[in-house]
Amino acid sequence: MTKTFEFAVDARFDPLAPSGMVEGEVIRAWLLSRAADMADAAPGEKDFAALSERLLLEGRKDLLVWDDLLKAAEMTYYADQTPLVGPSLDLCCGYAFWTSRILGKIDLGVDLFPREGAFRRSLAGFVENGFIGGAYRAVLRADVTGEMPLPDDFFQSVVSVCALEHLDRADRTLAAIAKALKPGGKAYLSLQTRRYIETFAEIFHPDYVRHVREAFSIHVDRSWREWIEMAEAAGLRVLEKRFVLDGRQTALKALAYWKDPFHPVLGDLGLEDAVKEIPELRRRYYAWVRRLCESLAEPDDAAIVCLTCERSR
């Protein structure tokens, strides 16, 4: 029996596309049939600091210091790769709060859409959010370490944003990326290194570190060298490396994150209201965020490595 997958397409892109529980071969055929229409690119946001400030003032995000710390340099890496030429693929897309705004247009998002845990979300929620503000054209629920109904040699651009570190068998996902990429296509990957959780362990009690590992599925620790070895073994050639989030920034992120990332103790200081209401404080805060956007780390001190890759075979 042919395997079926939960699948949806934005009607603004193709009102007649298959949707619901769809056979893998039908999804693959649909992607191939729309390849020419996907071979475009759309500009995204280039200035993370300006974007973060605007969303805060519009009431569309909270002031989460750890989020600005974590995402400033990483999203700047992705902004530097735009516009992404299609067909484009985002593996482990989630609800793509930042990437939907930075990348501009993505043809297909794939996610497990787990029904429980810290990453709990649904494909229906993705669709109800207007395909994340119209940034995505289609969305697929699938295990990115297993079978996915993707054509070989099809995607010009593939992204995966700080997701593969949560997978025990990330090697399978990297191999799937190499298989799905067109010759000459590019994969843009941001990957958390072992320095991230090591920094937590330097600061917090082992019980809290264990909680972070379990809550956010951090079970396999890899160095940046191990990530590159794994990518190369999967059939990818690394063209560029960018190292971000140094030890001091990771430590501050960890402290700003404690104990519940969406209700951190730091929030008790009333910083969000102060940043919104005091222009000079807001100016200084976002000047700091802009410096984060431009900051690089020494390789062995970096909590995130960003890799630009192509197929090697």
Side-chain angles (χ1 to χ4, degrees):
M1 176 181 265
T2 304
K3 186 172 181 178
T4 60
F5 298 84
E6 191 176 3
F7 182 64
V9 177
D10 190 337
R12 292 167 291 187
F13 179 65
D14 185 349
L16 301 178
S19 63
M21 296 304 299
V22 181
E23 291 184 354
E25 286 303 318
V26 173
I27 296 170
R28 190 177 289 109
W30 178 83
L31 288 166
L32 290 167
S33 74
R34 300 309 304 261
D37 300 307
M38 295 177 177
D40 57 352
E45 301 270 0
K46 285 287 190 181
D47 187 333
F48 176 86
L51 172 62
S52 180
E53 181 177 7
R54 189 180 77 242
L55 293 174
L56 177 73
L57 295 176
E58 291 173 352
R60 298 167 72 186
K61 73 176 286 285
D62 297 327
L63 184 76
L64 296 171
V65 175
W66 65 264
D67 197 33
D68 285 328
L69 269 162
L70 182 65
K71 290 299 178 183
E74 180 193 22
M75 286 297 109
T76 298
Y77 163 76
Y78 281 104
D80 289 345
Q81 316 310 321
T82 60
L84 290 185
V85 178
S88 54
L89 169 68
D90 181 2
L91 286 176
C92 303
C93 60
Y95 280 171
F97 182 85
W98 291 114
T99 50
S100 62
R101 294 169 168 89
I102 294 292
L103 297 180
K105 183 274 295 184
I106 304 146
D107 292 301
L108 177 64
V110 181
D111 198 274
L112 182 59
F113 292 106
R115 294 188 170 96
E116 57 185 22
F119 300 110
R120 182 176 63 253
R121 51 200 174 223
S122 68
L123 186 145
F126 193 101
V127 173
E128 289 165 7
N129 276 287
F131 288 81
I132 316 301
Y136 289 76
R137 286 172 166 167
V139 62
L140 169 71
R141 183 171 185 260
D143 180 354
V144 299
T145 67
E147 181 181 349
M148 291 183 284
L150 306 177
D152 295 349
D153 309 325
F154 181 76
F155 292 99
Q156 185 67 33
S157 304
V158 178
V159 301
S160 185
V161 181
C162 261
L164 301 191
E165 61 269 15
H166 303 292
L167 306 175
D168 292 346
R169 294 304 307 269
D171 57 317
R172 294 177 178 173
T173 307
L174 289 166
I177 290 171
K179 188 177 180 184
L181 267 179
K182 281 183 178 181
K186 298 292 189 296
Y188 306 103
L189 314 173
S190 54
L191 303 157
Q192 188 174 286
T193 76
R194 66 189 323 133
R195 283 299 301 141
Y196 178 81
I197 199 66
E198 286 173 352
T199 302
F200 273 75
E202 291 166 4
I203 297 171
F204 295 112
H205 190 278
D207 287 348
Y208 180 65
V209 177
R210 195 174 305 113
H211 161 73
V212 171
R213 283 188 178 277
E214 291 302 319
F216 296 98
S217 301
I218 304 172
H219 301 307
V220 182
D221 302 333
R222 302 179 179 96
S223 69
W224 66 268
R225 292 180 180 86
E226 289 170 324
W227 276 121
I228 289 175
E229 290 171 1
M230 187 180 293
E232 290 175 342
L236 295 169
R237 179 185 296 112
V238 177
L239 304 175
E240 177 192 343
K241 304 182 288 289
R242 188 181 298 188
F243 299 94
V244 300
L245 203 65
D246 66 23
R248 288 175 62 88
Q249 293 165 352
T250 307
L252 182 55
K253 187 267 181 187
L255 292 167
Y257 191 85
W258 191 85
K259 184 174 187 182
D260 175 348
F262 295 104
H263 298 92
V265 169
L266 197 59
D268 294 346
L269 298 177
L271 284 178
E272 179 166 336
D273 288 342
V275 168
K276 285 181 177 179
E277 295 170 9
I278 304 172
E280 178 60 16
L281 179 58
R282 187 166 66 250
R283 185 190 69 78
R284 286 175 178 267
Y285 177 80
Y286 282 104
W288 171 70
V289 173
R290 183 159 281 107
R291 290 194 297 273
L292 291 174
C293 292
E294 299 167 356
S295 67
L296 300 176
E298 291 298 318
D300 290 334
D301 194 37
I304 294 175
V305 59
C306 302
L307 302 179
T308 302
C309 306
E310 66 179 4
R311 280 174 47 172
S312 61
R313 52 179 182 261

